[in-house]
Amino acid sequence: RKEVEQDPGPFNVPEGATVAFNCTYSNSASQSFFWYRQDCRKEPKLLMSVYSSGNEDGRFTAQLNRASQYISLLIRDSKLSDSATYLCVVYTGGFKTIFGAGTRLFVKA
Amino acid sequence: NAGVTQTPKFRILKIGQSMTLQCTQDMNHNYMYWYRQDPGMGLKLIYYSVGAGITDKGEVPNGYNVSRSTTEDFPLRLELAAPSQTSVYFCASTIQGGGNTIYFGEGSWLTVV
């Protein structure tokens, strides 16, 4: 079983749609959780951290369910510029940060 | 603010050749990393460093070496290149461990033929 698993997609959605990504992790002792965004042929960049109580940043909402060991990202009112790969990232302690393989999103006009 | 800078951006190597990927950061970060990213796969940690003079292996260190003589620089050496090392390489840094934001360089596309 992979330490961090994501649906690879791609998710093809029209502009204005709401789309949700899920991610599961295997290490119950994982400490911190993040979503990174990676544009085509670019480096990953932090999108947002994920807190136990859930958190929002504009059109983006992240949720963490420690009991079920999954993380979600909800994007509302999708824009063309949201097209990217979204990486689920889990910090398990020490030097160990695990990156998921990513979920690809295409937003169409 | 330059952040993390890595060179070269693209390189084609022949099997058996060696090369060094350069990485420097100007954020005074203690932790530095080298990852590789293969198509459809997550980032895999090659080596990491928690400070000048201290390096350690990550998940996939075979065929690579690193050094950390200064806080700023963390070069990655590929010895005896093999086709399996064809990948995108990212250098990254963070102020310390503990799940802080990881800042990446723009990536180096390496092809071994």
Side-chain angles (χ1 to χ4, degrees), chain A residues 68-91:
Chain A
S68 301
Q69 293 180 213
Y70 83 78
I71 307 148
S72 65
L73 177 68
L74 182 77
I75 305 175
R76 291 181 301 278
D77 190 23
S78 298
K79 311 292 184 192
L80 294 174
S81 57
D82 294 334
S83 297
T85 297
Y86 291 84
L87 308 178
C88 175
V89 180
V90 176
Y91 173 68

mmCIF file of all heavy atoms in Angstrom, chain A residues 68-91:
data_model
loop_
_atom_site.group_PDB
_atom_site.id
_atom_site.type_symbol
_atom_site.label_atom_id
_atom_site.label_comp_id
_atom_site.label_asym_id
_atom_site.label_seq_id
_atom_site.Cartn_x
_atom_site.Cartn_y
_atom_site.Cartn_z
ATOM 1 N N SER A 68 -10.310 8.428 9.819
ATOM 2 C CA SER A 68 -10.336 7.660 8.568
ATOM 3 C C SER A 68 -9.066 7.835 7.749
ATOM 4 O O SER A 68 -8.933 7.227 6.689
ATOM 5 C CB SER A 68 -11.547 8.085 7.726
ATOM 6 O OG SER A 68 -12.736 7.871 8.442
ATOM 7 N N GLN A 69 -8.188 8.678 8.218
ATOM 8 C CA GLN A 69 -6.898 8.919 7.577
ATOM 9 C C GLN A 69 -7.072 9.391 6.138
ATOM 10 O O GLN A 69 -6.488 8.803 5.207
ATOM 11 C CB GLN A 69 -5.988 7.679 7.684
ATOM 12 C CG GLN A 69 -5.580 7.417 9.121
ATOM 13 C CD GLN A 69 -4.675 6.213 9.308
ATOM 14 O OE1 GLN A 69 -4.737 5.529 10.328
ATOM 15 N NE2 GLN A 69 -3.846 5.915 8.344
ATOM 16 N N TYR A 70 -7.896 10.418 5.975
ATOM 17 C CA TYR A 70 -7.964 11.011 4.653
ATOM 18 C C TYR A 70 -8.046 12.527 4.736
ATOM 19 O O TYR A 70 -8.443 13.100 5.745
ATOM 20 C CB TYR A 70 -9.085 10.416 3.795
ATOM 21 C CG TYR A 70 -10.464 10.985 3.997
ATOM 22 C CD1 TYR A 70 -10.835 12.204 3.434
ATOM 23 C CD2 TYR A 70 -11.411 10.276 4.721
ATOM 24 C CE1 TYR A 70 -12.101 12.708 3.600
ATOM 25 C CE2 TYR A 70 -12.693 10.775 4.898
ATOM 26 C CZ TYR A 70 -13.030 11.987 4.342
ATOM 27 O OH TYR A 70 -14.292 12.483 4.511
ATOM 28 N N ILE A 71 -7.643 13.130 3.632
ATOM 29 C CA ILE A 71 -7.608 14.576 3.471
ATOM 30 C C ILE A 71 -8.395 14.902 2.205
ATOM 31 O O ILE A 71 -8.373 14.112 1.251
ATOM 32 C CB ILE A 71 -6.161 15.061 3.282
ATOM 33 C CG1 ILE A 71 -5.262 14.559 4.396
ATOM 34 C CG2 ILE A 71 -6.087 16.584 3.213
ATOM 35 C CD1 ILE A 71 -3.848 14.325 3.931
ATOM 36 N N SER A 72 -9.064 16.014 2.210
ATOM 37 C CA SER A 72 -9.801 16.407 1.010
ATOM 38 C C SER A 72 -9.508 17.859 0.654
ATOM 39 O O SER A 72 -9.090 18.650 1.504
ATOM 40 C CB SER A 72 -11.309 16.203 1.209
ATOM 41 O OG SER A 72 -11.775 17.070 2.226
ATOM 42 N N LEU A 73 -9.709 18.159 -0.613
ATOM 43 C CA LEU A 73 -9.594 19.526 -1.115
ATOM 44 C C LEU A 73 -10.810 19.797 -1.982
ATOM 45 O O LEU A 73 -11.091 19.036 -2.910
ATOM 46 C CB LEU A 73 -8.317 19.708 -1.929
ATOM 47 C CG LEU A 73 -8.124 21.086 -2.559
ATOM 48 C CD1 LEU A 73 -7.882 22.136 -1.482
ATOM 49 C CD2 LEU A 73 -6.975 21.072 -3.552
ATOM 50 N N LEU A 74 -11.523 20.854 -1.677
ATOM 51 C CA LEU A 74 -12.700 21.254 -2.440
ATOM 52 C C LEU A 74 -12.398 22.580 -3.127
ATOM 53 O O LEU A 74 -11.926 23.524 -2.481
ATOM 54 C CB LEU A 74 -13.904 21.416 -1.499
ATOM 55 C CG LEU A 74 -15.241 21.779 -2.147
ATOM 56 C CD1 LEU A 74 -15.848 20.544 -2.791
ATOM 57 C CD2 LEU A 74 -16.198 22.356 -1.109
ATOM 58 N N ILE A 75 -12.646 22.618 -4.415
ATOM 59 C CA ILE A 75 -12.470 23.862 -5.165
ATOM 60 C C ILE A 75 -13.839 24.288 -5.676
ATOM 61 O O ILE A 75 -14.498 23.548 -6.421
ATOM 62 C CB ILE A 75 -11.504 23.680 -6.355
ATOM 63 C CG1 ILE A 75 -10.161 23.121 -5.877
ATOM 64 C CG2 ILE A 75 -11.300 25.014 -7.080
ATOM 65 C CD1 ILE A 75 -9.191 22.794 -7.010
ATOM 66 N N ARG A 76 -14.264 25.463 -5.279
ATOM 67 C CA ARG A 76 -15.559 26.002 -5.731
ATOM 68 C C ARG A 76 -15.337 26.976 -6.875
ATOM 69 O O ARG A 76 -14.271 27.597 -6.976
ATOM 70 C CB ARG A 76 -16.266 26.716 -4.576
ATOM 71 C CG ARG A 76 -16.746 25.815 -3.468
ATOM 72 C CD ARG A 76 -17.470 26.634 -2.381
ATOM 73 N NE ARG A 76 -16.601 27.653 -1.809
ATOM 74 C CZ ARG A 76 -15.715 27.411 -0.854
ATOM 75 N NH1 ARG A 76 -15.589 26.183 -0.362
ATOM 76 N NH2 ARG A 76 -14.953 28.381 -0.376
ATOM 77 N N ASP A 77 -16.358 27.111 -7.724
ATOM 78 C CA ASP A 77 -16.304 28.100 -8.811
ATOM 79 C C ASP A 77 -14.987 27.985 -9.583
ATOM 80 O O ASP A 77 -14.224 28.955 -9.695
ATOM 81 C CB ASP A 77 -16.476 29.516 -8.233
ATOM 82 C CG ASP A 77 -16.663 30.566 -9.300
ATOM 83 O OD1 ASP A 77 -17.093 30.223 -10.414
ATOM 84 O OD2 ASP A 77 -16.352 31.744 -9.018
ATOM 85 N N SER A 78 -14.726 26.831 -10.124
ATOM 86 C CA SER A 78 -13.449 26.552 -10.796
ATOM 87 C C SER A 78 -13.145 27.578 -11.887
ATOM 88 O O SER A 78 -14.029 27.993 -12.644
ATOM 89 C CB SER A 78 -13.480 25.154 -11.418
ATOM 90 O OG SER A 78 -13.633 24.175 -10.442
ATOM 91 N N LYS A 79 -11.882 27.954 -11.962
ATOM 92 C CA LYS A 79 -11.386 28.862 -12.994
ATOM 93 C C LYS A 79 -10.450 28.100 -13.938
ATOM 94 O O LYS A 79 -9.858 27.085 -13.548
ATOM 95 C CB LYS A 79 -10.587 30.018 -12.362
ATOM 96 C CG LYS A 79 -11.270 30.729 -11.210
ATOM 97 C CD LYS A 79 -12.464 31.498 -11.648
ATOM 98 C CE LYS A 79 -13.057 32.289 -10.455
ATOM 99 N NZ LYS A 79 -14.390 32.827 -10.808
ATOM 100 N N LEU A 80 -10.299 28.623 -15.144
ATOM 101 C CA LEU A 80 -9.352 28.015 -16.083
ATOM 102 C C LEU A 80 -7.965 27.910 -15.453
ATOM 103 O O LEU A 80 -7.234 26.931 -15.661
ATOM 104 C CB LEU A 80 -9.281 28.825 -17.369
ATOM 105 C CG LEU A 80 -10.530 28.858 -18.240
ATOM 106 C CD1 LEU A 80 -10.345 29.818 -19.406
ATOM 107 C CD2 LEU A 80 -10.877 27.465 -18.743
ATOM 108 N N SER A 81 -7.616 28.914 -14.675
ATOM 109 C CA SER A 81 -6.290 28.968 -14.057
ATOM 110 C C SER A 81 -6.094 27.935 -12.947
ATOM 111 O O SER A 81 -4.975 27.770 -12.453
ATOM 112 C CB SER A 81 -6.028 30.363 -13.488
ATOM 113 O OG SER A 81 -7.034 30.704 -12.556
ATOM 114 N N ASP A 82 -7.167 27.250 -12.568
ATOM 115 C CA ASP A 82 -7.033 26.183 -11.563
ATOM 116 C C ASP A 82 -6.500 24.896 -12.178
ATOM 117 O O ASP A 82 -6.168 23.946 -11.452
ATOM 118 C CB ASP A 82 -8.378 25.881 -10.900
ATOM 119 C CG ASP A 82 -8.894 27.040 -10.056
ATOM 120 O OD1 ASP A 82 -8.058 27.842 -9.566
ATOM 121 O OD2 ASP A 82 -10.122 27.145 -9.894
ATOM 122 N N SER A 83 -6.437 24.824 -13.496
ATOM 123 C CA SER A 83 -5.923 23.630 -14.167
ATOM 124 C C SER A 83 -4.479 23.383 -13.734
ATOM 125 O O SER A 83 -3.612 24.238 -13.936
ATOM 126 C CB SER A 83 -5.993 23.783 -15.685
ATOM 127 O OG SER A 83 -7.325 23.903 -16.112
ATOM 128 N N ALA A 84 -4.252 22.229 -13.135
ATOM 129 C CA ALA A 84 -2.940 21.906 -12.570
ATOM 130 C C ALA A 84 -3.021 20.502 -11.990
ATOM 131 O O ALA A 84 -4.075 19.855 -12.035
ATOM 132 C CB ALA A 84 -2.554 22.901 -11.469
ATOM 133 N N THR A 85 -1.914 20.061 -11.428
ATOM 134 C CA THR A 85 -1.902 18.822 -10.655
ATOM 135 C C THR A 85 -1.827 19.183 -9.178
ATOM 136 O O THR A 85 -1.022 20.035 -8.787
ATOM 137 C CB THR A 85 -0.705 17.942 -11.043
ATOM 138 O OG1 THR A 85 -0.826 17.571 -12.421
ATOM 139 C CG2 THR A 85 -0.658 16.670 -10.200
ATOM 140 N N TYR A 86 -2.681 18.549 -8.392
ATOM 141 C CA TYR A 86 -2.752 18.856 -6.966
ATOM 142 C C TYR A 86 -2.139 17.693 -6.183
ATOM 143 O O TYR A 86 -2.585 16.550 -6.300
ATOM 144 C CB TYR A 86 -4.201 19.130 -6.560
ATOM 145 C CG TYR A 86 -4.686 20.421 -7.170
ATOM 146 C CD1 TYR A 86 -5.186 20.451 -8.464
ATOM 147 C CD2 TYR A 86 -4.587 21.618 -6.467
ATOM 148 C CE1 TYR A 86 -5.585 21.642 -9.048
ATOM 149 C CE2 TYR A 86 -4.993 22.815 -7.036
ATOM 150 C CZ TYR A 86 -5.488 22.824 -8.324
ATOM 151 O OH TYR A 86 -5.875 24.014 -8.904
ATOM 152 N N LEU A 87 -1.119 18.008 -5.402
ATOM 153 C CA LEU A 87 -0.365 17.003 -4.670
ATOM 154 C C LEU A 87 -0.775 16.998 -3.203
ATOM 155 O O LEU A 87 -0.754 18.038 -2.542
ATOM 156 C CB LEU A 87 1.139 17.293 -4.751
ATOM 157 C CG LEU A 87 1.748 17.499 -6.136
ATOM 158 C CD1 LEU A 87 3.237 17.829 -6.009
ATOM 159 C CD2 LEU A 87 1.559 16.269 -6.997
ATOM 160 N N CYS A 88 -1.133 15.840 -2.718
ATOM 161 C CA CYS A 88 -1.411 15.645 -1.297
ATOM 162 C C CYS A 88 -0.081 15.356 -0.609
ATOM 163 O O CYS A 88 0.683 14.498 -1.081
ATOM 164 C CB CYS A 88 -2.383 14.481 -1.153
ATOM 165 S SG CYS A 88 -2.741 13.993 0.533
ATOM 166 N N VAL A 89 0.198 16.054 0.459
ATOM 167 C CA VAL A 89 1.514 15.946 1.099
ATOM 168 C C VAL A 89 1.335 15.708 2.594
ATOM 169 O O VAL A 89 0.576 16.418 3.258
ATOM 170 C CB VAL A 89 2.333 17.224 0.854
ATOM 171 C CG1 VAL A 89 3.709 17.113 1.508
ATOM 172 C CG2 VAL A 89 2.463 17.477 -0.643
ATOM 173 N N VAL A 90 2.073 14.731 3.110
ATOM 174 C CA VAL A 90 1.936 14.336 4.512
ATOM 175 C C VAL A 90 3.310 14.346 5.167
ATOM 176 O O VAL A 90 4.250 13.730 4.655
ATOM 177 C CB VAL A 90 1.314 12.927 4.611
ATOM 178 C CG1 VAL A 90 1.267 12.461 6.062
ATOM 179 C CG2 VAL A 90 -0.078 12.919 3.986
ATOM 180 N N TYR A 91 3.410 15.038 6.284
ATOM 181 C CA TYR A 91 4.662 15.050 7.045
ATOM 182 C C TYR A 91 4.520 14.044 8.180
ATOM 183 O O TYR A 91 3.607 14.145 9.007
ATOM 184 C CB TYR A 91 4.929 16.447 7.595
ATOM 185 C CG TYR A 91 6.114 16.509 8.532
ATOM 186 C CD1 TYR A 91 7.400 16.320 8.059
ATOM 187 C CD2 TYR A 91 5.925 16.728 9.893
ATOM 188 C CE1 TYR A 91 8.478 16.372 8.917
ATOM 189 C CE2 TYR A 91 6.999 16.785 10.753
ATOM 190 C CZ TYR A 91 8.283 16.603 10.269
ATOM 191 O OH TYR A 91 9.351 16.640 11.114
#
